Amino acid sequence: MTFVASRRMFLLAAAGLPLAACSSSPVGFTLSDGPGFYKKLNATAAQVDAVAARDMISIYRTNNGASALSLDPALMQAAQEQALAMARADHMSHEIGGTLQARLSGRLDHKTATENVGAGYHTLAEAFSGWRESPPHNKNMLNAAMRRMGIATAYVEQSKYKVYWALILTD
């Protein structure tokens, strides 16, 4: 699939998201107000709209047979720490802040955890599309065992990628 065709499909899907909020939802979530997934995050005070992220990923998951996700404060904090660690190091990696298991140790009870990181995406829509089109990242988002998530960004103007992303999913 070409980038243009892929982007067109995403825009069509995103345009249909507000309609999903109007219908009764068996999974118990609704879309957040406003286009949080298009908000530019390349500014010091900018923060990803976690509710919009949860809704976008949950709708994608339910459309693919997995359950919706809930936001978890401990995972939000862990994601923020990882995004900041990558931004400060000016390098994208799962290992900068330590292994995922080490970073989650003692924070919450879980059996399985996975993480998507990213850099250079300036909006949630871009990050989601990038992860969706990457087979290992897509597999993480669609992992049926996952029930909770945390997501965060960090911005450093002088860095190579400007915006760094961390998405953590657990059972």
Side-chain angles (χ1 to χ4, degrees), residues 39-52:
K39 177 182 173 186
K40 292 283 188 182
L41 299 169
N42 56 337
T44 304
Q47 293 183 336
V48 65
D49 181 340
V51 173

Side-chain angles (χ1 to χ4, degrees), residues 63-137:
N63 285 343
N64 286 279
S67 66
L69 299 168
S70 64
L71 291 173
D72 184 284
L75 294 176
M76 294 294 293
Q77 182 64 36
Q80 187 64 65
E81 290 168 6
Q82 183 63 14
L84 284 169
M86 291 186 300
R88 288 182 185 132
D90 198 10
H91 181 71
M92 183 181 65
S93 170
H94 292 280
E95 307 296 321
I96 286 179
T99 66
L100 178 60
Q101 291 307 322
R103 287 184 276 126
L104 295 181
S105 179
R107 287 184 187 236
L108 68 152
D109 184 31
H110 70 283
K111 293 178 186 169
T112 306
T114 190
E115 176 179 61
N116 287 358
V117 296
Y121 300 119
H122 288 202
T123 67
L124 171 58
E126 291 171 3
F128 174 77
S129 291
W131 289 332
R132 190 189 64 215
E133 293 176 15
S134 162
H137 293 104

